[in-house]
């Protein structure tokens, strides 16, 4: 069990994460490689999103959403698992964006997570949260390379 | 830094499993082919830097939850095209 104090909507709250809900990210997140342990936390106040809460740094939590809520046709070439996309809030809330280029994939058992980079997929790093569906761009990259990392 | 001179069609091998082939050179452009195991992440450096910035921005941005409420409103409200989950 991990117990931590987190700040939500300006208030400090106690969060208890049972051991079997801890998700390990063996490589951390891109650029945040030191963050290895997370939990997906339900919170009706942020529905339909969830918190991807760092257990290493309690003050750090991402808001994630099922990318298909934002882009129903989203079909990344990613390993099997639950897909989540990180939301970046902007000062003008309606201009907030979702990272469809580098989604979070959590294995079906819910224990191991990866941030998968879908390079040359046409998906945007900053996909508008409220906009008409983007035309589905096909892969346009000219580089070849390894496919996204598999668990 | 190791510096090697290679011609088109020649390659270098990194460790036992990674091979980088020079496919084409044209002016200041070089096309490279990279063969690596699936678990090795191969990305353009600029892309890694962009995703890194975005992750950090996202981590910082969650602190202002008034903004979050507004953003969630955008997600909850069905758009004119009928999307949204209610």
């Amino acid at each position: 069990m991990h117990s931590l104090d987190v700040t939500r909507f300006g208030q400090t709250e106690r969060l208890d994460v049972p051991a079997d809900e801890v998700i390990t990210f063996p490589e951390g997140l891109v650029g945040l490689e030191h963050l290895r342990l997370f939990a997906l936390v339900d919170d009706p106040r942020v529905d339909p999103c969830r918190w991807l809460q760092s257990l290493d740094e309690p003050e750090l939590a991402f808001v994630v959403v099922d990318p298909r809520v934002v882009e129903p046709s989203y079909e990344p070439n990613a390993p099997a698992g639950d897909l989540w996309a990180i939301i970046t809030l902007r000062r003008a809330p309606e201009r907030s964006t979702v990272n469809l280029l580098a989604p979070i994939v959590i294995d079906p058992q819910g224990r191991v997570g990866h941030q998968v980079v879908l390079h040359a997929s046409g998906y945007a790093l900053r996909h508008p949260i409220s906009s008409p569906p983007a035309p589905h761009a096909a892969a346009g990259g000219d580089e070849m390379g390894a496919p996204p990392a598999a668990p | 830094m190791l510096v090697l001179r290679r011609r088109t069609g020649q390659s270098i091998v990194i460790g036992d499993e990674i091979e980088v082939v020079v496919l084409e050179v044209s002016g200041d452009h070089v096309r490279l082919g990279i063969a690596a195991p699936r678990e090795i992440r191969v990305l353009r450096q600029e892309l890694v830097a962009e995703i890194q910035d975005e992750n950090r921005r996202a981590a910082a941005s969650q602190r202002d939850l008034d903004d979050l409420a507004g953003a969630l409103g955008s997600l909850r409200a069905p758009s004119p095209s009928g999307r949204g989950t209610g």
Side-chain angles (χ1 to χ4, degrees):
Chain A
M1 170 87 80
H2 279 71
S3 289
L4 46 158
D5 290 323
V6 299
T7 304
R8 299 280 190 263
F9 301 93
Q11 308 269 313
T12 302
E13 299 174 8
R14 190 72 170 172
L15 182 68
D16 292 322
V17 179
D20 65 353
E21 290 181 17
V22 175
I23 305 163
T24 303
F25 283 67
E27 314 94 23
L29 302 184
V30 177
L32 298 166
E33 284 81 6
H34 60 292
L35 302 176
R36 299 292 169 97
L37 300 181
F38 287 87
L40 263 183
V41 182
D42 280 319
D43 183 341
R45 295 168 297 182
V46 297
D47 180 73
C49 304
R50 291 202 208 175
W51 299 102
L52 183 65
Q53 171 69 52
S54 167
L55 304 182
D56 300 301
E57 291 187 18
E59 68 278 14
L60 214 157
F62 296 91
V63 176
V64 295
V65 66
D66 177 345
R68 294 185 195 96
V69 169
V70 179
E71 179 54 62
S73 64
Y74 192 62
E75 255 185 62
N77 177 20
D82 288 341
L83 277 174
W84 296 94
I86 298 174
I87 295 181
T88 305
L89 299 173
R90 309 288 168 187
R91 203 155 295 146
E94 67 281 3
R95 296 190 57 221
S96 294
T97 59
V98 184
N99 181 349
L100 296 185
L101 175 65
I104 303 292
V105 182
I106 297 171
D107 76 309
Q109 287 72 43
R111 304 309 297 265
V112 180
H114 300 272
Q115 186 170 27
V116 177
V117 181
L118 306 167
H119 74 301
S121 65
Y123 289 119
L125 181 62
R126 299 184 195 97
H127 183 95
I129 210 169
S130 50
S131 76
H136 203 113
D142 65 344
E143 71 263 70
M144 51 184 286
Chain B
M1 182 188 285
L2 173 67
V3 178
L4 297 171
R5 196 178 290 266
R6 300 276 65 196
R7 293 178 188 280
T8 303
Q10 293 184 325
S11 65
I12 61 168
V13 176
I14 303 170
D16 292 332
E17 298 184 294
I18 301 172
E19 183 172 11
V20 181
V21 191
V22 179
L23 296 175
E24 185 187 328
V25 181
S26 154
D28 61 353
H29 291 262
V30 180
R31 289 186 78 219
L32 300 174
I34 298 145
R38 271 185 75 85
E39 64 273 16
I40 303 279
R41 189 179 269 169
V42 181
L43 294 170
R44 285 176 290 136
Q45 183 274 334
E46 314 88 87
L47 186 59
V48 173
E50 281 181 34
I51 293 168
Q52 185 169 319
D53 283 355
E54 195 64 18
N55 277 345
R56 291 179 178 163
R57 197 171 295 135
S61 74
Q62 316 309 4
R63 293 189 181 135
D64 190 347
L65 285 165
D66 292 338
D67 288 356
L68 176 59
L72 294 175
S74 305
L75 271 185
R76 287 173 182 143
S79 70
S81 59
R83 290 176 309 126
T85 54

